[in-house]
Amino acid sequence: MAALAGALALAAGGFAVSAQDNSAGASARIVAVGGAITEVLYALGLQDKVVGVDTTSQWPPEALKEKKSVGYVRALSAEGVLSLRPTLVIAVEGAGPPDALALLRESGTPIADVPEAFTADAVVNKIAVIGKAAGAAGPAQALAERVREAFVALDAQRARLPARKRVLFVLSTQNGRTMVGGRNSTADGIIALAGGINAAAAVEGYKPMTDEAIINAAPDYIVMMRHTAAHGSSADELFAAPAFSQTPAAKTKALIRMDGLYLLGFGPRTPDAARDLMGLLYPEAGIAVSDAGKAYAAP
């Protein structure tokens, strides 16, 4: 445990691991497709080997500033990727479009596919898969163990929670349609880790929810992403809408906004994000919210 602690250090809002023993060649040129992929590579100290990232790679902040963009994770430009002369593309499950990935494979570019699921075990596995693909299996194992320990601590906090809160994740409220995060979504995963009950479990994935269904779901809290045009409703505006005005959340205008990648990225910072969300959902439990969590939860 002492050796493990020495190999790991907390970075601002995440974890960092020395990559001195990684075996990735000096000439490696990696394109990271998926915000969590980039986050893990930087946490492993492999940022100098990353030549391109997708637009969801918003942590650490310098990634999008320093690296070439290859487009949105599900709308990649094969030509843009190939122009970077990558020796490896590490792509999260669901990246695409399929034609672009097919072109990359036809070009002979190695592609490492990283499975995506929204549980603690899946995050730990993701880190190991990325590290192995990038030639940094040792540091990745250390990072994965540290993240696993953080999830174990989170489990203990969750077990001590009072009566569980019902939480509705609202993706957007545009054009009179409320898009919510149902079961088997990133929102569903983080709500469960934070000790909440997903009030939209009756729907699958990210789907519209009717006003009547929202009222019947009776959420105690509404959670949204912050600082985008699609999620810009104030608490007053949101709870003035007919669907939300009749929910338990409206009584105290219980709206939490958090940074999207921090909350839904399912990367190394996920234990922190889940703990911060837990602290915001259950203030009575006395769970400390990190400075990062307070900042991410700003209006």
Side-chain angles (χ1 to χ4, degrees):
M1 292 299 294
L4 177 60
L8 294 156
L10 280 173
F15 298 98
V17 175
S18 168
Q20 293 178 350
D21 65 337
N22 84 73
S23 58
S27 60
R29 298 176 60 83
I30 300 173
V31 171
V33 180
I37 307 292
T38 300
E39 187 173 329
V40 170
L41 290 172
Y42 270 73
L44 294 173
L46 298 176
Q47 58 269 24
D48 290 344
K49 302 183 187 303
V50 177
V51 295
V53 298
D54 79 299
T55 57
T56 69
S57 297
Q58 297 177 11
W59 185 269
E62 59 266 26
L64 273 177
K65 297 176 183 177
E66 297 174 350
K67 309 300 180 181
K68 295 288 186 181
S69 172
V70 296
Y72 177 59
V73 61
R74 290 183 174 80
L76 300 173
S77 163
E79 294 79 6
V81 174
L82 291 173
S83 71
L84 300 177
R85 297 177 290 108
T87 59
L88 174 65
V89 174
I90 305 180
V92 70
E93 181 182 344
D99 287 350
L101 294 182
L103 282 173
L104 293 176
R105 289 190 170 93
E106 289 171 8
S107 75
T109 303
I111 300 178
D113 296 310
V114 179
E116 183 79 296
F118 314 121
T119 64
D121 286 345
V123 173
V124 172
N125 180 63
K126 182 188 293 183
I127 293 168
V129 169
I130 295 168
K132 183 176 180 181
Q141 184 60 38
L143 176 60
E145 286 302 320
R146 181 65 182 89
V147 171
R148 187 190 299 277
E149 289 177 2
F151 276 123
V152 170
L154 183 70
D155 290 345
Q157 289 179 309
R158 191 168 56 245
R160 295 192 294 268
L161 290 176
R164 302 299 171 88
K165 305 287 179 67
R166 294 180 61 79
V167 182
L168 182 66
F169 179 85
V170 176
L171 183 64
S172 67
T173 57
Q174 290 184 312
N175 303 319
R177 288 162 57 91
T178 302
M179 296 288 294
V180 302
R183 63 183 181 274
N184 298 321
S185 67
T186 49
D188 187 60
I190 199 69
I191 289 169
L193 287 172
I197 297 171
N198 188 356
V203 303
E204 178 80 19
Y206 288 98
K207 297 282 174 51
M209 198 170 188
T210 66
D211 288 0
E212 182 181 5
I214 291 170
I215 294 167
N216 290 336
D220 300 298
Y221 274 88
I222 307 298
V223 175
M224 300 180 75
M225 294 189 290
R226 69 177 178 98
H227 289 171
T228 69
H231 318 122
S233 298
S234 68
D236 287 341
E237 291 171 332
L238 181 72
F239 291 115
F244 296 99
S245 67
Q246 300 181 57
T247 64
K251 295 177 182 178
T252 56
K253 295 183 179 177
L255 171 63
I256 295 171
R257 294 184 184 276
M258 296 186 75
D259 176 83
L261 183 60
Y262 184 61
L263 186 66
L264 305 176
F266 280 82
R269 296 181 298 157
T270 294
D272 294 340
R275 185 197 62 244
D276 286 339
L277 180 58
M278 185 184 293
L280 294 167
L281 291 173
Y282 300 95
E284 68 275 21
I287 297 168
V289 177
S290 72
D291 289 342
K294 291 173 184 175
Y296 292 139

